[in-house]
Amino acid sequence: MFSNKKIAVAMSGGVDSSYVAMFYKEAGAEVFGITGLMTSDEASLEVVKNSKAVCDFLGIGHYVVDLSDSFEKEVIDYFKNSYQQGLTPNPCVVCNRKIKWGKLKDFAMNSLGADFFATGHYAKLQKEADGYKLYHAKDEKKDQLYVLCCLTQEDLDRTLFPMGDIDKNTAKQACLEKNLPCKNSKESQDICFIPRPDTTKKFLIRALGEKEGDFVDINTKKIRGKHSGFYLYTTGQRKGIGLSNPEPLYVTGTDACRNIVYVGLKNNLYTASLEICDVNIQQERYKNSEFRAMVKVRYNTTPKPARVITTGNTAKIFFDEPESSITPGQACAIYDEKNTFLIGGGWICKKI
């Protein structure tokens, strides 16, 4: 199927992308690696170095695309600005849409003449009568449909996801047997531009400074203490609040204009409905319609049953049972009612 086809593999130097490159080379395709240089720091340069080592080992070409300016504007600035506005961002979703399936894929297809763009994401892609559909990966623990919820039909066209049909251990073993230099690579960082031992809190303090404000009890409206900046807290957070109370306190929300962090009890975290903006629906039949679905409001949560109403570029979601820690700024992924494929997603803009 891929014989004589030119396939660009988005390379990070890790197991997943290395397996993908090896897989398509063994399938007879003309494979080359392409790596985006996202920042000028040591971590990014290490990604380029590791990617080149794998490509050299496989005997395939390797191209580096300097995307640092775009990454700074589209991802890092978005990250900082979101926190400054009282939102909790999801940089991976933005990076996928604007950088990987934006600048990187465009360069691979239009400048390097690739027939396909392949990545190491854990997802299954099928072309059906109503267009491309993303199905859950075989390895449920590695499934990445959530971070692909903002990809469009155009993005999915000529995209390949071979990792959807195998599990992580199989990929690791295959790379080990072939002695690929990626075999001991560490897993990706949660936020690639904040490498350990740095933290999001330290990053934000450097970027936005510290600004003393009040912790306010959501139930009594009384001031409970002081904090160093509302942008250092996110809805659902329990650790790091530093307030004594008979029952555990959680962050229930923030007020960016007044520099307030609201705290309350666990039951204050639950919300039955929300609205999402900048909605991306991958199949036409779900646009401007009402339907049952499974909805995921954070990467590390499970999808929950809900009624969804899509109108233009917004959608209202009504959960069967109240959901915890609805966080403005986070991505919200929508799956079909049986939770088999991705319908699309958007950005949580408010609770309703």
Side-chain angles (χ1 to χ4, degrees):
M1 177 181 178
F2 296 107
S3 180
N4 299 320
K5 295 295 183 180
K6 195 172 183 180
I7 299 178
V9 178
M11 296 292 297
S12 68
V15 168
D16 299 331
S17 61
S18 299
Y19 176 87
V20 171
M22 179 177 67
F23 175 83
Y24 286 118
K25 183 184 178 184
E26 292 180 349
E30 181 186 344
V31 181
F32 63 87
I34 180 170
T35 302
L37 182 65
M38 304 304 183
T39 66
S40 58
D41 63 18
E42 185 176 337
S44 290
L45 296 175
E46 188 71 12
V47 167
V48 172
K49 177 183 175 182
N50 292 343
S51 299
K52 184 179 186 305
V54 173
C55 290
D56 288 348
F57 183 90
L58 292 172
I60 63 176
H62 180 241
Y63 299 87
V64 179
V65 187
D66 187 350
L67 301 176
S68 56
D69 287 344
S70 295
F71 189 80
E72 177 81 27
K73 176 183 176 182
E74 301 288 359
V75 180
I76 298 179
D77 286 351
Y78 145 80
F79 184 80
K80 293 186 290 188
N81 292 339
S82 293
Y83 274 109
Q84 208 163 18
Q85 295 167 29
L87 304 173
T88 301
N90 197 311
C92 292
V93 177
V94 171
C95 182
N96 281 336
R97 178 70 182 90
K98 295 188 176 182
I99 304 298
K100 292 177 183 173
W101 272 269
K103 301 290 185 180
L104 196 63
K105 183 186 177 187
D106 179 71
F107 188 84
M109 311 302 267
N110 297 321
S111 296
L112 299 177
D115 297 303
F116 295 99
F117 179 69
T119 81
H121 286 85
Y122 283 79
K124 293 181 181 179
L125 180 63
Q126 294 183 22
K127 188 172 185 179
E128 301 178 5
D130 54 348
Y132 290 102
K133 284 184 182 177
L134 282 168
Y135 288 84
H136 287 295
K138 176 182 178 180
D139 191 334
E140 295 179 0
K141 292 181 179 179
K142 297 296 294 181
D143 183 84
Q144 292 177 287
L145 290 199
Y146 175 82
V147 296
L148 303 174
C149 68
C150 288
L151 297 188
T152 66
Q153 287 288 317
E154 182 181 4
D155 294 327
L156 296 173
D157 186 38
R158 296 200 287 168
T159 290
L160 302 173
F161 293 112
M163 301 303 293
D165 293 315
I166 67 168
D167 57 65
K168 181 78 174 191
N169 288 333
T170 300
K172 283 183 177 179
Q173 186 60 33
C175 291
L176 182 63
E177 289 175 356
K178 299 290 186 177
N179 203 34
L180 262 66
C182 68
K183 62 182 183 296
N184 293 319
S185 294
K186 297 179 181 180
E187 291 295 321
S188 299
Q189 303 283 325
D190 289 337
I191 302 176
C192 67
F193 55 89
I194 309 179
R196 300 184 187 98
D198 201 2
T199 65
T200 298
K201 183 176 182 178
K202 291 178 181 178
F203 177 90
L204 291 173
I205 289 174
R206 289 197 303 271
L208 306 177
E210 295 186 74
K211 183 180 179 182
E212 186 177 87
D214 295 326
F215 281 115
V216 174
D217 192 304
I218 192 69
N219 297 303
T220 66
K221 310 305 179 188
K222 293 182 178 179
I223 295 175
R224 296 294 304 272
K226 298 291 184 179
H227 60 76
S228 299
F230 70 89
Y231 35 79
L232 303 177
Y233 300 86
T234 185
T235 301
Q237 181 176 335
R238 178 181 172 184
K239 294 182 179 180
I241 297 176
L243 301 176
S244 60
N245 200 64
E247 296 181 66
L249 289 174
Y250 298 82
V251 174
T252 61
T254 62
D255 184 329
C257 294
R258 299 165 64 194
N259 192 25
I260 290 174
V261 176
Y262 292 101
V263 295
L265 304 178
K266 190 172 184 179
N267 66 324
N268 295 127
L269 293 174
Y270 288 87
T271 305
S273 56
L274 62 95
E275 183 173 320
I276 59 177
C277 307
D278 296 325
V279 173
N280 170 62
I281 300 297
Q282 293 177 347
Q283 291 86 39
E284 283 291 330
R285 63 190 172 112
Y286 294 106
K287 295 179 180 180
N288 299 311
S289 64
E290 180 176 338
F291 54 90
R292 295 284 303 170
M294 298 293 286
V295 178
K296 186 172 182 176
V297 295
R298 284 194 180 196
Y299 184 79
N300 59 355
T301 62
T302 57
K304 303 294 175 57
R307 178 169 59 95
V308 179
I309 303 174
T310 60
T311 307
N313 68 344
T314 65
K316 293 182 179 179
I317 295 170
F318 303 89
F319 289 100
D320 290 3
E321 296 182 6
E323 177 72 322
S324 177
S325 304
I326 301 297
T327 308
Q330 281 284 285
C332 177
I334 305 170
Y335 308 86
D336 71 294
E337 190 174 6
K338 294 182 179 180
N339 192 28
T340 55
F341 65 86
L342 184 66
I343 291 174
W347 302 95
I348 300 173
C349 50
K350 63 181 178 180
K351 304 171 186 179
I352 56 176

